[in-house]
Amino acid sequence: MNQENTIVANFAISYFRYLDENGICSKELPAYLQDPQHIEKLYKMMAKTRIFDKKAITLQRTGKLGTYPSTLGQEAICVGIGAAMKKEDVLCPYYREYGAQFWRGVRMEEILLYWGGDEIGSAFKDNPHDFPICVPIASQCLHAVGAAFAFQYRQEKRAVVATIGDGGTSRGDFYEALGVAGVWKLPVVFVINNNQWAISVAREKQTASETLAQKGIACGVPSLQVDGNDIFAVTQKVEEALARARNGEGSTLIEAITYRMCDHTTADDASRYRPEAELKAHEKFDPIKRVKQYLLSKGDWDEARESKMIESFTQEVNDAVARYLETPTPPAEVMFEHLYATLPRAYEAQYQALKEGTK
Amino acid sequence: MTAITLIEAVNKALAYELEHDPNVVVYGEDVGVNGGVFRATDGLAKSFGEHRVKDSPLAENLIAGLAVGMSAMGLKPVAEIQFLGFIYAALDQIISHASRLRNRTRGRLSCPMVIRTPYGAGIHAPEHHSESIEAMFAHVPGLRVVIPSSPSRAYGLLLAAIRDPDPVIFLEPTRVYRLMKEEVEDNGEALPLDVCFQLREGNDVTLVSWGAMMHETLQAADELAKNGITADVIDVATIKPLDINTILNSVHKTGRCVIVQESVSTCSVGSEISALIAENALTSLMAPVVRVSGYDTIVPLYKLEKTYLPSKQRILTAVQQVLEFA
Ligand SMILES: Cc1ncc(C[n+]2csc(CCOP(=O)(O)OP(=O)(O)O)c2C)c(N)n1
């Protein structure tokens, strides 16, 4: 048989959205997303995340916080993830997922403490299992597959969500994690926050791949795109992927398409590389405006409730900031206290000297 | 009790822990059906099932990163990197995550994992199969680095490494895998980590070594004994954290020290030990500490690898030098 030009495989990537940029819903929503109270919860968490984010930037500008990466414009992704996960699932986040973390019991002051230079910020008093924010790009994807393996091994109905940026999908860790997730059918969901930029490198310069989702196909991982500014689409697709994962059907890759409406971090100046017009053009896709519009159109929201909400979140954030600012710098010797389960004798002298202030 | 080789001791320790701790999972490239390229995991997949003794995809950073996630979620992964020379790709996961997760989360999450890997020259292997880069790991806060030199210590130290609550890099001297046999009771008894083992008692010189070089070091000590020179011989075993006290006590007694290591000399574990002796035992010294090391070169292919490796003769010459120092 002449096998030249025989197509042996075909692939397609689908794109999913419920809510358009005017907040109009084009498809029938699943029942739980028709519940106004649930939608209000999603909306409020997005709003809270944005108020927190804005405050954190102010703190940095006034010298009260270190470098901070904003999540402005990406609130639908993190909040959608947080809402879709069960308590016993595990999150392996990159550094723009505050909305998911808040949903999962991480305290605002913990996030501030972390970026404020204190490891106690990753101790997560009310969240025993989630991984801390991961700074080395993409490396959390491998922790996620390891954690997912642990759940599969113990036959627990738990799943893991790993999140990553568009630039992060260039790294080996990402591909290695997808590879093993596919072949071992691990209960893990990868969510790519495609916010179009990796610091100053635009998505088109990062990879010639037509979509980022298709990177999963090579690994046998079902892959799709969602409108990452549509809280309904994100919540529903992450929910479906998690259900598959918990049912032993393996992993999913979701490319959530969004836009970074901020500098990369407070140490960055995006005007050096990004045309202002591009940013302006994306404002109309704002994920928060969109869901607010939807709520208003259904008569489930009004400006009085809006101002009450803003007032109450501003208070909540301010209280968290106060607790953050009141947290004293830890004593020097804590540097040794969590290095090993018990301090090896070899470091006892250094520890004592630090404690006594003699070295 | 039967006399077994070091590789058999590794196998027995893995089997013992698989048997007694359901959280232990063994995996790596070719470790399942094939039992590992050196047969360290021979028969384990058959005895314990391929869900516990697993072939992993061929990706070293994945192997290390998986261990981070597994161990943070309560498993006890024992991962194999096929040869130490291929671990470089995994350094990021080991250094950025395994060694730091406990500290980063203030003790909330930790990585009780073991990465075992054969290392060292002397088996006529191709490139990247022969290096001794233990110092790279010894440099990293939060890790333990353990190197057995005999079957019994391989058995006891590997058990201890698996049971340890923190990440352990367990380096197995490839050259010793089948070099000797020792009686090892398969009773699940671990040896202590973080301590040196004193293998011989003597008064004239302290010989410090670890891993495969223990072999030449002991031969040198035997040779010296024939000439009436007695040596304290110390197997460092855990090179991080380092039990310097045992070494210092010996140096206080003998006043002379020769460190024997297979790795390059620059920034090596031997450098650290001699610096610590200089800081803490200068007045006991009757001669400068001497390091006998591999050369500061890439480990050559096999025509020259014997030349690269410190020989018994080079050790004896170094001992002569410290004994004759005015
Ligand atoms: C391994 C690694 N290399 C480089 C960096 C420095 N760095 C921090 S963020 C970033 C860009 C990441 O872009 P992307 O993955 O698209 O995520 P985004 O920040 O846009 O959300 C870089 C290069 C890092 N943190 N880790």
Side-chain angles (χ1 to χ4, degrees):
Chain A
M1 193 175 74
N2 181 7
Q3 295 199 333
E4 260 174 57
N5 294 326
T6 306
I7 293 172
V8 294
N10 266 309
F11 307 106
I13 292 293
S14 62
Y15 172 86
F16 201 81
R17 116 195 301 194
Y18 286 107
L19 214 51
D20 75 8
E21 50 270 30
N22 302 313
I24 295 166
C25 188
S26 52
K27 289 191 193 100
E28 173 149 28
L29 288 162
Y32 72 98
L33 288 175
Q34 292 183 25
D35 171 8
Q37 277 184 332
H38 191 69
I39 305 173
E40 189 179 315
K41 246 175 107 180
L42 294 170
Y43 173 64
K44 282 186 169 171
M45 189 57 101
M46 291 166 76
K48 190 197 280 193
T49 303
R50 187 164 290 186
I51 291 168
F52 169 85
D53 195 72
K54 200 166 167 200
K55 184 71 184 185
I57 291 168
T58 316
L59 287 173
Q60 192 280 333
R61 299 283 184 241
T62 51
K64 293 189 181 115
L65 195 68
T67 303
Y68 170 83
S70 165
T71 184
L72 186 68
Q74 296 187 211
E75 294 90 346
I77 301 174
C78 51
V79 171
I81 289 169
M85 290 178 75
K86 292 193 176 162
K87 198 164 174 235
E88 63 271 21
D89 295 333
V90 161
L91 180 68
C92 294
Y94 91 133
Y95 44 79
R96 297 189 204 276
E97 307 296 9
Y98 314 121
Q101 294 183 299
F102 296 155
W103 201 291
R104 299 183 56 69
V106 176
R107 302 171 182 203
M108 289 182 181
E109 61 265 34
E110 291 179 315
I111 300 290
L112 294 172
L113 279 161
Y114 176 74
W115 295 114
D118 188 340
E119 284 84 358
I120 197 79
S122 297
F124 298 174
K125 276 194 191 135
D126 303 324
N127 175 326
H129 299 305
D130 283 0
F131 282 73
I133 285 169
C134 188
V135 168
I137 303 290
S139 53
Q140 70 277 11
C141 297
L142 295 175
H143 311 155
V145 287
F149 176 84
F151 301 155
Q152 183 188 61
Y153 179 84
R154 290 194 296 256
Q155 301 183 346
E156 294 170 341
K157 280 206 175 278
R158 300 167 75 182
V160 185
V161 175
T163 72
I164 185 172
D166 41 292
T169 68
S170 294
R171 284 197 83 233
D173 296 48
F174 171 72
Y175 289 104
E176 290 176 0
L178 277 174
V180 80
V183 74
W184 287 358
K185 275 197 154 220
L186 295 174
V188 58
V189 178
F190 300 95
V191 181
I192 302 167
N193 286 244
N194 177 2
N195 65 15
Q196 314 303 328
W197 291 90
I199 311 187
S200 66
V201 179
R203 152 77 180 80
E204 315 77 72
K205 280 198 188 167
Q206 189 71 234
T207 170
S209 193
E210 217 173 336
T211 68
L212 300 178
Q214 75 201 58
K215 296 188 175 195
I217 286 175
C219 302
V221 173
S223 305
L224 65 144
Q225 288 187 330
V226 296
D227 182 339
N229 284 13
D230 171 357
I231 182 73
F232 295 161
V234 176
T235 309
Q236 175 57 15
K237 287 298 160 188
V238 176
E239 181 108 5
E240 283 172 20
L242 281 169
R244 285 191 60 229
R246 291 191 210 100
N247 280 334
E249 292 166 64
S251 88
T252 308
L253 174 65
I254 299 173
E255 176 186 0
I257 298 176
T258 185
Y259 193 82
R260 198 188 83 208
M261 297 180 73
C262 46
D263 293 330
H264 168 71
T265 64
T266 50
D268 174 53
D269 172 9
S271 72
R272 290 167 56 86
Y273 52 83
R274 185 175 65 183
E276 185 66 16
E278 187 185 296
L279 175 62
K280 279 266 166 286
H282 277 89
E283 278 172 6
K284 71 167 190 269
F285 299 103
D286 186 322
I288 297 188
K289 274 191 206 152
R290 204 186 270 200
V291 64
K292 183 179 169 187
Q293 209 54 45
Y294 179 79
L295 279 168
L296 286 172
S297 73
K298 295 273 170 194
D300 294 330
W301 196 246
D302 54 53
E303 288 308 325
R305 293 166 80 179
E306 174 86 9
S307 27
K308 227 179 98 202
M309 175 190 78
I310 291 176
E311 197 184 317
S312 121
F313 287 158
T314 307
Q315 189 59 47
E316 193 181 330
V317 169
N318 287 343
D319 290 349
V321 170
R323 286 191 294 274
Y324 156 63
L325 293 173
E326 279 159 16
T327 307
T329 300
E333 68 271 16
V334 304
M335 288 193 285
F336 279 100
E337 284 174 1
H338 300 286
L339 198 54
Y340 298 88
T342 25
L343 187 69
R345 243 187 325 176
Y347 310 123
E348 191 63 45
Q350 289 181 48
Y351 175 72
Q352 284 306 333
L354 265 178
K355 202 164 176 170
E356 287 150 23
T358 54
K359 192 175 170 184
Chain B
M1 256 199 303
T2 39
I4 57 172
T5 61
L6 195 149
I7 191 87
E8 288 169 318
V10 167
N11 186 280
K12 282 205 186 310
L14 291 173
Y16 190 93
E17 280 312 86
L18 280 162
E19 176 86 43
H20 290 86
D21 185 347
N23 288 320
V24 171
V25 177
V26 171
Y27 67 95
E29 294 158 17
D30 306 292
V31 307
V33 186
N34 192 34
V37 292
F38 287 101
R39 306 285 174 263
T41 52
D42 199 21
L44 298 180
K46 214 166 186 181
S47 308
F48 298 99
E50 284 179 38
H51 67 297
R52 299 194 66 197
V53 182
K54 289 181 81 70
D55 287 318
S56 77
L58 203 170
E60 284 70 21
N61 199 45
L62 163 69
I63 291 170
L66 269 171
V68 172
M70 288 181 189
S71 56
M73 290 297 124
L75 295 185
K76 289 243 165 192
V78 186
E80 176 175 305
I81 297 288
Q82 206 157 69
F83 289 91
L84 185 61
F86 302 116
I87 209 167
Y88 302 114
L91 290 183
D92 182 37
Q93 285 293 338
I94 296 170
I95 299 173
S96 303
H97 295 293
S99 72
R100 300 167 69 127
L101 193 63
R102 178 187 292 284
N103 185 67
R104 178 176 291 149
T105 62
R106 304 282 88 180
R108 182 172 60 85
L109 298 176
S110 62
C111 294
M113 56 184 259
V114 178
I115 292 186
R116 15 171 318 272
T117 173
Y119 87 101
I123 59 156
H124 288 204
E127 276 199 277
H128 301 282
H129 290 71
S130 305
E131 39 258 86
S132 291
I133 48 159
E134 65 270 26
M136 276 176 55
F137 297 103
H139 200 68
V140 180
L143 293 182
R144 277 194 164 70
V145 186
V146 178
I147 306 182
S149 65
S150 75
S152 61
R153 281 188 293 284
Y155 180 81
L157 291 172
L158 182 52
L159 286 177
I162 300 171
R163 293 170 195 172
D164 191 81
D166 290 304
V168 179
I169 307 296
F170 193 83
L171 304 179
E172 298 162 6
T174 326
R175 185 156 62 94
V176 188
Y177 266 161
R178 296 186 166 84
L179 187 70
M180 56 156 120
K181 286 192 174 189
E182 222 177 34
E183 303 266 303
V184 180
E185 199 174 340
D186 187 11
N187 56 5
E189 265 177 40
L191 286 168
L193 299 177
D194 304 358
V195 297
C196 298
F197 296 90
Q198 184 141 358
L199 304 186
R200 297 271 202 283
E201 299 255 3
N203 293 312
D204 303 314
V205 62
T206 300
L207 300 180
V208 178
S209 191
W210 54 92
M213 289 315 304
M214 239 26 261
H215 188 70
E216 282 74 13
T217 305
L218 285 168
Q219 286 181 341
D222 290 344
E223 184 99 3
L224 290 168
K226 284 186 209 152
N227 301 324
I229 299 159
T230 62
D232 261 359
V233 180
I234 294 172
D235 178 357
V236 178
T238 301
I239 63 163
K240 183 191 188 72
L242 182 67
D243 167 21
I244 194 64
N245 289 339
T246 298
I247 298 170
L248 290 176
N249 286 342
S250 171
V251 171
H252 286 313
K253 177 178 73 177
T254 63
R256 296 179 164 91
C257 182
V258 170
I259 302 162
V260 184
Q261 60 186 353
E262 183 173 324
S263 78
V264 301
S265 178
T266 302
C267 297
S268 58
V269 175
S271 312
E272 178 65 19
I273 295 172
S274 48
L276 285 167
I277 293 172
E279 276 180 28
N280 297 292
L282 186 65
T283 52
S284 298
L285 284 178
M286 290 183 281
V289 175
V290 171
R291 285 171 295 163
V292 181
S293 315
Y295 299 100
D296 267 313
T297 65
I298 291 161
V299 183
L301 292 177
Y302 67 85
K303 286 191 175 172
L304 283 177
E305 72 177 337
K306 257 216 158 95
T307 313
Y308 171 90
L309 286 171
S311 60
K312 181 179 82 178
Q313 195 47 54
R314 281 180 63 202
I315 301 168
L316 290 172
T317 308
V319 172
Q320 203 63 30
Q321 192 184 328
V322 297
L323 288 173
E324 285 171 4
F325 188 83

